[in-house]
């Protein structure tokens, strides 16, 4: 177990305040007490926490660039997005209490004027990240993971959630389960898609998936194609709530009863997921926590603490509502 500040104070027979003054080279300490503290530090191999030192002093102010792709920047600017707006709220809450300032900027107006960067969403590509890293600035991705780049990131564990959701449907005797996902270049969608495929194949069932274009809303032709070529499914697993809600609406428009004929599961637990009729069964992503955790990780990088890149994955929570029987 590593030594604490109080251990040093006890061995040196001084107060913790005296130890702190010696280590921070601030305030008066007698030569005798200073020598006793330094000997105790050496004997205990004490290493002061940079994070604790920073939080104690609060002398530094960091300016952070919050970078988003063009589409996400547009919807974040007017706070209309039900997912990333909450992530942004978490970032801002952490900044307010930790002497950090943030500015939302689009990726095509990237500036080197910031101390560090939070890069949000699936539009962030490898070249975007490398351009920041080449400038020697710390960066943390949020809701995006880029294989092989070895950059800090905070994501949700969609794979685990998808496995749990599909098994839940299978336990009810539902076997003809269709996946509707967003672009698989986005880690979140790919992670959930991989979980779906794994769960289906483990059960000896054939995966069947369709790609939903949220911006152009191609859900109506997807449902027509699904029904004409595959027939009525037992269940639909949407890789986000928007896809699940649109599938629910299109199936209902064709006279199909939810969940009596088709069960539907979404992912994200956005605000509108509980307002559908029937209300949407989904997986809660802890969106505000993602923002807080990513901000805290960036703070550590800025003060030189724990520099090795880390992938932090937050588990999801299953929310049972009316769209599954």
């Amino acid at each position: 177990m590593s030594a604490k500040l109080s251990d040093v104070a006890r061995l040196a027979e001084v107060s913790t305040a005296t130890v702190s003054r010696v280590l921070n080279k601030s305030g008066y300490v007698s030569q005798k007490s200073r020598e006793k503290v330094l000997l105790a530090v050496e004997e205990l191999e004490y290493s002061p926490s940079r994070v604790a030192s920073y939080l104690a002093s609060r002398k530094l102010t960091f300016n952070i660039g919050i970078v988003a792709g063009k589409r996400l920047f547009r919807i974040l600017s007017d706070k209309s997005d039900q997912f990333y707006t909450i992530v942004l709220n978490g970032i801002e809450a952490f900044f307010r209490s930790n002497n950090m300032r943030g500015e939302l900027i689009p990726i095509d107006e990237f500036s080197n004027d910031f101390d560090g960067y939070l890069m949000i969403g699936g539009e962030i590509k490898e070249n975007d990240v490398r351009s920041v890293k080449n400038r020697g600035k710390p960066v943390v991705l949020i809701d995006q993971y880029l294989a092989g780049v070895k950059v800090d990131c905070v994501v949700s564990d969609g794979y685990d959630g998808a496995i749990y959701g599909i098994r839940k449907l299978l336990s009810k005797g539902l076997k003809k389960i269709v996946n509707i996902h967003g672009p698989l270049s986005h880690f979140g969608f790919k992670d959930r898609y991989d979980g779906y495929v794994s769960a289906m194949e483990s059960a000896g069932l054939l995966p069947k998936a369709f790609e939903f274009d949220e911006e152009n809303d191609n859900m109506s032709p997807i449902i027509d194609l699904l029904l004409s070529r595959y027939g009525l499914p037992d269940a639909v697993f949407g890789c986000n709530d928007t896809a699940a809600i649109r599938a629910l609406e299109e199936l209902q428009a064709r006279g199909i009863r939810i969940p009596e004929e088709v069960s539907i599961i979404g992912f994200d637990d956005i605000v509108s997921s509980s307002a559908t009729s029937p209300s949407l069964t989904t997986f809660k992503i802890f969106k505000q926590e993602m923002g807080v955790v990513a901000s805290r990780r960036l703070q550590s990088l800025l003060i030189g603490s724990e520099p090795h890149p880390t992938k932090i994955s937050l588990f999801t929570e299953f929310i049972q509502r009316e769209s599954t029987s």
Side-chain angles (χ1 to χ4, degrees):
M1 183 180 295
S2 59
K4 300 177 182 178
L5 188 76
S6 57
D7 298 325
V8 176
R10 191 177 301 110
L11 182 60
E13 298 179 327
V14 297
S15 68
T16 55
T18 298
V19 176
S20 180
R21 285 198 294 272
V22 172
L23 296 177
N24 293 322
K25 299 179 182 179
S26 63
Y28 173 76
V29 179
S30 70
Q31 185 61 32
K32 181 180 178 180
S33 294
R34 186 181 304 278
E35 289 175 358
K36 289 170 68 176
V37 168
L38 294 176
L39 285 171
V41 166
E42 184 177 355
E43 182 176 336
L44 295 172
E45 298 181 342
Y46 173 71
S47 178
S49 165
R50 296 183 189 181
V51 175
S53 299
Y54 162 66
L55 291 175
S57 66
R58 293 294 178 96
K59 292 179 180 177
L60 297 175
T61 298
F62 293 119
N63 294 309
I64 308 302
I66 305 170
V67 184
K70 290 181 181 180
R71 176 180 172 274
L72 183 54
F73 174 81
R74 187 173 65 250
I75 58 180
L76 274 177
S77 297
D78 62 13
K79 302 279 189 176
S80 64
D81 182 78
Q82 295 188 54
F83 184 97
Y84 291 107
T85 294
I86 301 174
V87 174
L88 193 58
N89 289 342
I91 294 170
E92 292 171 344
F94 185 88
F95 282 8
R96 282 193 298 272
S97 59
N98 287 274
N99 215 29
M100 299 168 76
R101 290 195 292 262
E103 181 181 339
L104 182 66
I105 54 174
I107 190 65
D108 56 342
E109 295 181 18
F110 178 82
S111 162
N112 198 39
D113 297 335
F114 297 93
D115 299 308
Y117 298 86
L118 294 172
M119 306 184 80
I120 306 179
E123 293 174 89
I124 302 300
K125 307 300 181 189
E126 182 174 336
N127 288 341
D128 301 325
V129 176
R130 293 200 183 279
S131 69
V132 179
K133 293 185 72 177
N134 289 341
R135 291 174 168 88
K137 299 292 182 71
V139 58
V140 177
L141 304 183
I142 303 178
D143 198 36
Q144 177 68 312
Y145 162 74
L146 298 169
V149 181
K150 293 185 179 178
V151 63
D152 285 88
C153 62
V154 177
V155 297
S156 61
D157 196 333
Y159 187 92
D160 178 86
I163 293 280
Y164 184 92
I166 299 306
R167 287 179 177 172
K168 197 89 171 173
L169 294 171
L170 292 171
S171 71
K172 299 176 183 297
L174 308 178
K175 297 182 178 180
K176 200 174 180 181
I177 305 169
V178 171
N179 174 235
I180 300 178
H181 59 78
L184 297 182
S185 57
H186 181 178
F187 169 75
F189 292 137
K190 181 67 164 57
D191 199 38
R192 299 163 203 175
Y193 169 79
D194 287 345
Y196 159 77
V197 170
S198 177
M200 292 291 284
E201 290 181 343
S202 294
L205 299 171
L206 181 68
K208 184 72 174 178
F210 299 87
E211 182 166 323
F212 173 53
D213 180 351
E214 185 174 336
E215 193 161 11
N216 296 304
D217 194 356
N218 62 334
M219 187 58 72
S220 182
I222 284 176
I223 297 301
D224 286 338
L225 186 65
L226 164 63
L227 296 175
S228 63
R229 294 192 179 180
Y230 192 63
L232 190 66
D234 294 329
V236 171
F237 169 52
C239 275
N240 69 3
D241 285 346
T242 302
I245 291 168
R246 286 293 297 119
L248 183 151
E249 291 170 345
E250 292 295 335
L251 288 167
Q252 287 180 324
R254 290 158 178 77
I256 296 165
R257 294 172 299 145
I258 311 297
E260 292 83 0
E261 295 178 88
V262 179
S263 288
I264 298 181
I265 292 181
F267 217 104
D268 287 348
D269 192 32
I270 60 176
V271 174
S272 56
S273 64
S274 60
T276 59
S277 182
S279 57
L280 184 68
T281 295
T282 187
F283 284 87
K284 180 179 178 64
I285 290 180
F286 294 89
K287 299 172 276 293
Q288 179 147 339
E289 287 86 339
M290 286 180 73
V292 170
V293 170
S295 300
R296 183 178 293 116
R297 179 62 189 142
L298 182 60
Q299 181 192 67
S300 296
L301 295 174
L302 285 163
I303 62 179
S305 176
E306 302 169 352
H308 188 75
T310 304
K311 178 184 178 184
I312 302 172
S313 183
L314 304 180
F315 282 111
T316 60
E317 179 183 329
F318 182 68
I319 306 294
Q320 175 73 56
R321 294 198 183 106
E322 300 167 345
S323 65
T324 52
S325 55

